[in-house]
Amino acid sequence: MNDCRDKMLELMLDQDIYIYFYIDYEENRWHLENNPHMPEFTMSEADNPIDSILKDARLAEEDKERFSLFAEKLREGTAITKKDSFIKIQFRIKSEKGGLDWYEIKIFPKYAKHSSIPLITGTIHKMNEREIKSRNILNFYSNDKNPAIFADIMANRIRNDLDNKYAVIQFDIIGFKFINDKFGEAIGNELLHHINDVLDVYCTERQLYTRLSADVFMIVTCYDELSDIYSFIRGLEAGMSAFRGIKYNFAFGVYLVSDRNISTRIMGDCSCMAREAIKGNALENIGFYDQKIKNNLSNKQNIEDKMRLALKNGEFVMYLQPKYNIPDSAIIGAEALVRWIDPEKGIIPPNDFIPVFEKNGFVVRIDEYIWECAAKQIRHWIDEGIPPVPISVNVSRIHLTDSGFVDKLEALIKKYNIPRELLELEITESVENVNINEMIQLAKDSGFRLLMDDFGSGYSSLNTLKSTPFDVLKIDRSFFSASMESLRGQKIISHTIAMSKDIGLELIAEGVETKEQAEFLSGCGCNSAQGYFYSRPVPVDMFEKLLRNSLFLK
Ligand code: C2E
Ligand code: CA
Ligand code: CA
């Protein structure tokens, strides 16, 4: 039988011809036929042509996972049950010359005997130049995968199939741009193909899918219970995640269709909002469209409508949160934190509007405004004879895309004639990025003191510290508040502190809420702290009182 299989494989793969096969699930037999070069083979399920390819050492490594998913579906006979559709897979086989040849398998249902299980026919062929070239367009935008046509098919299905409940799912790869940057566009494209191919295999007649743009895909699926949607997504995600060992995550947004007559564009928008809303959530990557998202959206709209006028009207105000030396509780500095004082709503905390401003770019204006408030404040203290303490200002990452921000800071130093070391910069260190590192270095070279914000909360790692331009690490409260519970956690903190000091970095702990925390940190060698235990962020006049008291106590 093995001889026979080898021969079959040879013929299938080495000829530029179409091979036809069919699978009879009732008899559990596979047949190859319709080919003058080849006798008709009938083989047991175990020797079918698809599994032969899967077992063959020449199948490209990158395609194995996807191919085995495809083979499994076919074995189960559930891959296809609808007359007018077909599924396909494209895969690579190593050629004798050492290159890779593309092949395509297409599967069609032939006819349903008297059972519900269809007889399946398929073709295997080597793809020609033209087919390979147009693989891009073919895969993503052929017939029913064209988004414009898709909308019609989708509307038709949802409006006419009243027996089923429907959900619209949109998903994308979180940080796809980063994959393109890091691995190159060719790999990025290949990943998109991989996703498309997995969708091809994974989706049954219960689903429709299309690619909307770049890395955004949309699926329409029917469901009985919410759990159906979860298990569908989890299965799909498992298939899509295995690609060249690269790590990436997806964000899924789901809209459960409640009104079948609203436009498909709006259904798509709702799933898109749910997808955007779930991003940044560390625990979950499937978001459902609900009232909260709707409210957030109108809230966001409201913020964007009002932000410019609010800046003009002076509704953005700088608060200062004092920083303390733990051993003698003296004030050693302050962090500038913005507050929006809305005449109707009162004080709006930055977490409600900074993320919106970071998306629409307005954060640049707010930051510059706060930087100026800080510089002006330092000038004021000098003029009043109050020994000034440094104020650290937050520098949103958006500034770090061009070098202009250093010039702006320079201009403020000149305008208010203040010592540069009194205006410190807080920057959140996230993924390694050459361009951003250059900007940070530029600020360092201009002589500004740099504080690494939120150290220990996300991407920041000890590894990057060896050559960091930062002067101070701000230990995020999540880092020590969670770790302090266990002995092991305490060891991690004390070693991190010892190591940072060892390589010449200063430290400050933020979010210190209890005396125990302050004492523990100080015991480990971190003597600076900021947090509610000492003081919340306060208006400037209140800070000035605290500062005078602190000086008086000295
Ligand atoms: P951040 O830079 O990490 O600022 C520290 C945040 O922790 C502040 O929140 C502060 O009020 C809060 N905090 C301080 N001590 C404690 C404590 O003991 N316990 C707890 N639970 N929290 C404490 P706030 O003022 O609400 O600001 C939130 C975030 O908004 C800031 O986090 C920063 O990322 C951003 N932000 C604030 N002002 C600005 C600004 O002017 N520009 C930019 N780009 N971002 C800003
Ligand atoms: Ca900060
Ligand atoms: Ca922080």
Side-chain angles (χ1 to χ4, degrees):
M1 194 63 196
N2 258 349
D3 279 358
C4 175
R5 196 175 75 198
D6 288 349
K7 182 143 189 273
M8 171 193 80
L9 204 59
E10 248 19 82
L11 283 165
M12 270 186 337
L13 299 178
D14 294 347
Q15 312 273 325
D16 287 342
I17 45 168
Y18 273 76
I19 303 287
Y20 291 80
F21 61 88
Y22 64 94
I23 312 166
D24 183 341
Y25 286 106
E26 279 188 341
E27 301 277 317
N28 226 352
R29 301 232 141 238
W30 295 52
H31 309 268
L32 290 190
E33 61 166 1
N34 265 0
N35 184 344
H37 300 274
M38 199 144 85
E40 181 171 334
F41 284 117
T42 299
M43 64 220 109
S44 71
E45 198 269 332
D47 270 312
N48 70 66
I50 308 291
D51 281 341
S52 306
I53 294 173
L54 185 61
K55 282 177 203 149
D56 195 84
R58 291 174 298 168
L59 177 62
E61 204 54 45
E62 303 92 298
D63 296 339
K64 279 201 173 134
E65 182 97 27
R66 197 161 49 82
F67 201 95
S68 100
L69 203 67
F70 180 83
E72 195 175 312
K73 278 263 151 164
L74 220 52
R75 234 178 275 129
E76 286 170 2
T78 54
I80 209 159
T81 51
K82 208 163 158 268
K83 262 193 157 177
D84 57 355
S85 50
F86 70 89
I87 62 168
K88 64 174 191 274
I89 186 167
Q90 294 163 340
F91 58 98
R92 284 156 289 189
I93 296 283
K94 289 172 203 138
S95 70
E96 272 170 16
K97 290 177 214 137
L100 287 167
D101 292 327
W102 278 100
Y103 289 82
E104 181 176 78
I105 297 181
K106 272 190 190 156
I107 308 282
F108 309 84
K110 198 172 179 187
Y111 54 85
K113 282 191 174 166
H114 8 266
S115 75
S116 58
I117 307 170
L119 184 72
I120 280 175
T121 69
T123 61
I124 303 178
H125 82 284
K126 192 167 171 181
M127 293 166 75
N128 61 33
E129 249 347 75
R130 189 187 50 75
E131 284 176 305
I132 296 167
K133 270 210 182 117
S134 58
R135 196 174 114 85
N136 252 327
I137 311 150
L138 264 181
N139 253 4
F140 291 134
Y141 290 125
S142 69
N143 47 56
D144 61 333
K145 300 292 182 296
N146 177 318
I149 299 172
F150 184 84
D152 276 348
I153 301 174
M154 167 178 167
N156 232 337
R157 178 80 81 89
I158 295 176
R159 278 173 208 152
N160 296 327
D161 179 17
L162 299 178
D163 294 339
N164 281 307
K165 293 194 278 186
Y166 276 91
V168 178
I169 304 171
Q170 257 193 35
F171 69 88
D172 69 340
I173 303 169
I174 299 171
F176 179 63
K177 213 186 140 303
F178 177 65
I179 293 183
N180 268 336
D181 286 352
K182 186 162 177 195
F183 300 98
E185 237 167 70
I187 298 282
N189 282 341
E190 230 186 273
L191 171 57
L192 295 180
H193 277 296
H194 168 74
I195 289 171
N196 194 68
D197 291 344
V198 173
L199 280 167
D200 225 1
V201 176
Y202 194 77
C203 291
T204 67
E205 87 284 358
R206 281 170 74 85
Q207 288 93 28
L208 301 166
Y209 78 89
T210 188
R211 182 174 82 141
L212 289 180
S213 65
D215 63 328
V216 183
F217 293 79
M218 185 157 88
I219 304 168
V220 176
T221 181
C222 44
Y223 70 99
D224 298 320
E225 308 283 334
L226 267 191
S227 58
D228 296 344
I229 296 178
Y230 276 104
S231 50
F232 171 75
I233 292 180
R234 288 296 174 229
L236 181 65
E237 187 179 29
M240 296 192 303
S241 297
F243 175 74
R244 286 176 172 261
I246 300 175
K247 265 205 166 350
Y248 47 88
N249 294 309
F250 295 93
F252 296 89
V254 185
Y255 168 67
L256 304 175
V257 178
S258 49
D259 175 355
R260 291 174 193 256
N261 291 315
I262 62 171
S263 83
T264 53
R265 192 181 53 77
I266 292 180
M267 293 180 189
D269 285 352
C270 291
S271 58
C272 173
M273 284 178 240
R275 170 170 66 86
E276 287 303 331
I278 201 70
K279 284 188 185 167
N281 182 326
L283 301 174
E284 189 48 274
N285 70 339
I286 304 177
F288 285 78
Y289 178 81
D290 58 11
Q291 193 60 36
K292 213 171 107 208
I293 291 184
K294 208 167 156 190
N295 292 346
N296 273 348
L297 205 78
S298 67
N299 196 15
K300 181 179 160 214
Q301 193 57 52
N302 193 16
I303 286 174
E304 295 197 322
D305 289 346
K306 284 161 70 179
M307 62 190 186
R308 283 188 185 78
L309 198 61
L311 182 61
K312 228 181 183 168
N313 292 346
E315 291 173 23
F316 292 102
V317 176
M318 176 181 74
Y319 271 39
L320 292 174
Q321 185 175 32
K323 298 175 184 175
Y324 288 82
N325 179 40
I326 299 176
D328 66 359
S329 300
I331 292 180
I332 50 169
E335 174 175 4
L337 293 157
V338 64
R339 297 289 179 266
W340 182 345
I341 304 186
D342 184 283
E344 285 159 24
K345 291 190 188 159
I347 299 183
I348 308 175
N351 286 337
D352 287 5
F353 57 87
I354 290 283
V356 178
F357 291 177
E358 275 177 343
K359 279 211 171 124
N360 66 23
F362 197 64
V363 73
V364 170
R365 303 271 305 278
I366 291 299
D367 277 0
E368 285 168 16
Y369 177 76
I370 296 295
W371 299 348
E372 177 139 15
C373 291
K376 213 187 272 181
Q377 192 59 45
I378 294 165
R379 181 74 252 158
H380 169 77
W381 288 333
I382 297 173
D383 291 344
E384 293 292 308
I386 303 170
V389 289
I391 298 180
S392 59
V393 294
N394 288 287
V395 178
S396 162
R397 292 189 76 75
I398 299 190
H399 295 283
L400 304 180
T401 50
D402 80 296
S403 59
F405 82 100
V406 182
D407 299 335
K408 286 174 192 154
L409 289 159
E410 291 281 355
L412 284 175
I413 299 285
K414 261 211 194 100
K415 178 172 173 190
Y416 292 97
N417 188 23
I418 54 173
R420 163 183 318 255
E421 58 278 12
L422 291 182
L423 193 65
E424 301 177 329
L425 313 181
E426 294 200 6
I427 300 172
T428 306
E429 177 68 309
S430 58
V431 262
E432 280 283 286
N433 178 309
V434 181
N435 295 335
I436 285 185
N437 285 351
E438 263 175 29
M439 294 304 143
I440 296 177
Q441 188 63 45
L442 205 70
K444 172 75 188 167
D445 293 343
S446 306
F448 288 100
R449 253 168 79 82
L450 304 182
L451 286 70
M452 187 189 287
D453 207 351
D454 304 338
F455 175 75
S457 70
Y459 290 105
S460 42
S461 77
L462 289 174
N463 227 349
T464 60
L465 293 182
K466 280 175 270 171
S467 58
T468 183
F470 285 92
D471 302 284
V472 185
L473 298 186
K474 287 197 85 173
I475 310 177
D476 192 66
R477 64 187 269 271
S478 63
F479 185 64
F480 69 82
S481 59
S483 318
M484 268 187 65
E485 313 276 304
S486 72
L487 192 66
R488 201 167 152 225
Q490 292 180 5
K491 282 226 150 89
I492 295 177
I493 304 170
S494 65
H495 280 101
T496 304
I497 292 175
M499 196 206 77
S500 310
K501 287 178 79 171
D502 219 30
I503 56 177
L505 287 165
E506 294 170 45
L507 288 153
I508 178 164
E510 63 176 336
V512 174
E513 289 181 345
T514 64
K515 191 163 177 253
E516 290 72 38
Q517 289 171 342
E519 281 170 356
F520 171 73
L521 288 159
S522 169
C524 293
C526 169
N527 283 325
S528 308
Q530 171 186 347
Y532 295 171
F533 170 60
Y534 295 99
S535 165
R536 291 186 172 252
V538 292
V540 168
D541 52 350
M542 180 102 116
F543 178 84
E544 231 170 72
K545 276 189 197 134
L546 292 171
L547 185 60
R548 282 181 198 272
N549 280 345
S550 167
L551 289 168
F552 178 73
L553 288 175
K554 255 189 185 168

